[in-house]
């Protein structure tokens, strides 16, 4: 069931409409404390959707929302669940996104 929900939700996290994208990130931020480690089956699908484009966004609202989501993940999920997806993404990112994710890894 969780896969079906997040399969439908994931495209909104990088929607071409910036308002849709930002609202999706803000909704994700609210979901994380409620779902916590129950997100573990979908975390490998969510991290790229959250990080790709959003952490390098020139739109300050999208960047702030993505940063808040990453912070919430670090606060509410077991860090061992985040280590591999964060490392994988950090290898292939550039700019501010790479710096932000590397700081979280440290």
């Amino acid at each position: 069931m969780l896969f079906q929900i997040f399969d439908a939700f994931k495209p909104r996290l990088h929607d071409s409409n910036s308002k849709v994208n930002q609202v999706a990130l803000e909704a994700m931020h609210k979901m994380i404390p409620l779902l916590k480690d129950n997100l573990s089956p979908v975390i490998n699908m969510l991290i790229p959707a959250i990080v790709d484009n959003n952490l390098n966004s020139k739109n300050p609202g999208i960047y702030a929302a993505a940063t808040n989501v990453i912070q919430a993940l670090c606060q509410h999920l077991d860090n061992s669940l985040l280590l591999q997806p964060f490392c994988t993404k950090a290898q292939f990112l550039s700019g501010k996104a790479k710096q932000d994710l590397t700081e979280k890894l440290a």
Side-chain angles (χ1 to χ4, degrees):
M1 178 70 166
L2 197 62
F3 280 105
Q4 292 170 324
I5 292 168
F6 282 100
D7 274 343
F9 184 71
K10 185 179 98 168
R12 303 296 69 83
L13 291 169
H14 45 81
D15 198 282
S16 60
N17 182 324
S18 61
K19 290 179 184 176
V20 171
N21 188 351
Q22 185 173 342
V23 170
L25 287 163
E26 290 167 356
M28 187 74 227
H29 182 251
K30 292 174 185 173
M31 285 188 267
I32 292 167
L34 301 172
L35 295 172
K36 297 184 182 177
D37 287 341
N38 292 320
L39 286 171
S40 62
V42 294
I43 203 69
N44 287 328
M45 157 190 5
L46 285 178
I47 298 289
I50 293 163
V51 171
D52 291 348
N53 302 324
N54 296 325
L55 278 182
N56 272 332
S57 178
K58 289 179 173 52
N59 180 318
I62 290 174
Y63 174 78
T67 303
N68 289 339
V69 170
I70 297 296
Q71 184 63 35
L73 287 169
C74 292
Q75 284 179 328
H76 297 285
L77 269 71
D78 182 349
N79 288 339
S80 65
L81 294 172
L82 301 173
L83 184 60
Q84 185 61 48
F86 277 10
C87 284
T88 301
K89 286 310 305 173
Q91 287 177 353
F92 301 105
L93 291 172
S94 62
K96 184 105 174 95
K98 185 174 192 117
Q99 179 183 344
D100 289 347
L101 216 50
T102 303
E103 286 174 10
K104 289 296 176 198
L105 282 165

